[in-house]
Structures are given as structure tokens and as C-alpha cells.
Amino acid sequence: VDDFQRSFNTTFNYINYRIYLPNENMQFKVSGNYALVVYEDNNREKKVLTRRFYVAEDLARIEGTVRRATLDAFKGENQEVDFTVFHDLLEIRNPREEVKVVIMQNNRWDNAVHDLKPLFIRDRQLIYDYNRENVFVAGNEFRFFDIRTNRINGENVASTQFFRPYYHKTLMTDEVRANQKYFSYREMNGNYAIESQDRVNDFDTECDYVFVHFTLPLESILLGGTVNVFGALTNWNANKSNEMTWNFENSAYELTLLLKQGYYNFQYVYVPQGAKTADHKNLEGSFWETENDYRIFVYYRDLAGRYDRLIGYRQLNSLTNRN
């Protein structure tokens, strides 16, 4: 990675790296799942970051809808993703063995649905119209905050302070939403945008880093698990780097993250000890009306194949693709 530039006029000195794939040095030969792994000093023991991405072939068309879960008509907490895969350009002899499907809610891997088999098979059509296997906890709309400038407090920012040599943003004190009514508003489904409201020419090198302080009061500590700040700002992981600490004096969970200036979405999740899936219902509540993106990946490997080809991809939205 030799395309880089140093930050300009920021309290944090950093280097912004950039890489485009494919490029003059490499091309993709096959479709499927990839991971970009960056090492320091060409030493595999010094891993800096890992980013997943995908290369797809346009061999399958996916049509589908998102609806209130069929078996959840009264509580209304879950969403069901029904879809059909059309493979006119590819002959599939044994769909139940040669085709794999993955459904992701927003960009989460922890609660993804894997290895769904087609419920019905018709002429070059694979129909996935289940009642249980394709159901997700809908959750709630993501919380948000605006740290695009240090001159004023943005949305959901309580204070901006400068403790030499860095800025600190304290967010509004949050509250548990599990027992509240659903309130609809548009957000970015857990993503963020690096931006500045100041007079800058390049967001990549002139947006500063600031310390952001989160606070979630509770009546008592939640035993048997952790509370984490969750979303694209934590790379959709719930681990030690974004685990909140219980403050006995304030009776609240607290966390400080170093983030670049921008507009952010996030949620609070509860992670039971030993669990691989973060619970976004316990603290945020769940309503079938919530807007979510669902990403559908269709993989194909014939009996002689050595890898899973990604032959189709589609993103559905629970509002625009609602049934």
C-alpha cells in the first residue's frame, strides 16, 4: 500500500492510506468471498486490519420481499425475508447440494442465516419461502450522533471540550428503549460517513479524530454478559475494544471511543457470556416496522468444483421491498 498522505491541520497526526482493487498489480480470477489483510513491515504477526469484501458473477437474479414474520403476527417483533433465485444463465443439476445461500441483516455476520436450502424447485427457479428459517429479530432504528465539527455541539452531543492536545465529545445520556413505543425516523442502518462541516478540502486528511464518550444508565449491572457499542463504527464486532465499563458511582455503563469526524449510527447490544450473537433487542427493543437492509448471497459449487462461486447478490430493504 504505497498511496498515502499525511493529515493536515489536525490535533491528531495520522496517515491516510488508499488502495483500489483490482489494480495494475492484481486482478480477480474467481468470484467469492475475499479478505484484505494489512500487515506492518511485511510481518504476518503484525496484523493491522482485516476487511471482508466480495466479488460476484452476474449469473443469478434475486427477487424478494421483507415482511412481518408469518408466525409473529401478534407480537410484531420479527421480520421475514422471502425470495426467489432465478438462474436462467446457469444450469444447476442438484440445487440442494450445489447451492448455498447466506442472508445478512445490515452488515452483520454474527446473526447471519447460513446454508438455506430451497423450499421449492421449479424450472430454473429456487424458492426460499420459509416461516422460521429466514426470520430475523427486527430490532429498532439505530441511534445517531453528529461530530462533524468542533465549533458547536452536533445532534445528540451534550458537550465539546478541548483537553490539550485533543478534543472530547460527550454524547447525550442515553436510555434503554426496550419498553418504549416504536418511533420511525430515517438513519443509515448502522453505518457512518466521514465528513466535516468546517472549511476543509479533503475529508480523508483534514477531518480530525476526537474522543467520544458514551453513557447508558441502568438500574443495575447486567450479569452474565457484556454491554457493547455496536455498528459500523466498531466494524460490526462486539469485543473488548467496544465493551462498556460499569460505573458503580453513576449506575451507568460507560465507554470512550476514538473516532474520526463524521456522522455516526450505533446501537447498544447485550452479549451473553460465551455467545457468538449480539442481542440487539434487550436494550433497544424490537419492532417489525424497523427499517433494515438485508443482503442475500447465492453461492454455487458443482460436484467437481473446488470453491464456492458467488453467482448472485441482492440487497433488499424492509421499507422499499416490504410485502
Side-chain angles (χ1 to χ4, degrees), residues 218-281:
L218 288 176
E219 294 182 357
S220 61
I221 189 173
L222 296 180
L223 300 176
T226 64
V227 175
N228 295 66
V229 172
F230 189 70
L233 78 171
T234 60
N235 199 26
W236 299 100
N237 292 319
N239 52 34
K240 287 293 183 181
S241 67
N242 49 67
E243 179 182 325
M244 305 188 78
T245 301
W246 178 253
N247 186 322
F248 286 91
E249 294 184 1
N250 298 334
S251 189
Y253 280 96
E254 299 175 342
L255 176 69
T256 299
L257 292 178
L258 180 63
L259 300 173
K260 202 171 185 178
Q261 283 181 294
Y263 193 91
Y264 287 82
N265 280 187
F266 75 101
Q267 286 183 338
Y268 294 108
V269 296
Y270 174 70
V271 185
Q273 187 173 1
K276 296 182 179 180
T277 303
D279 176 3
H280 60 298
K281 173 184 173 181

Side-chain angles (χ1 to χ4, degrees), residues 13 79 113 118 122 126 143 147 154 181 184 186 231 234 239 245 252 279 300 317-318 320-321:
N13 295 322
Q79 292 174 341
V113 173
R122 297 175 182 171
L126 307 179
R143 303 171 191 257
I147 55 170
K181 293 183 179 180
S184 176
R186 297 306 298 267
T234 60
N239 52 34
T245 301
D279 176 3
Y300 168 72
N317 181 271
S318 60
T320 58
N321 301 108

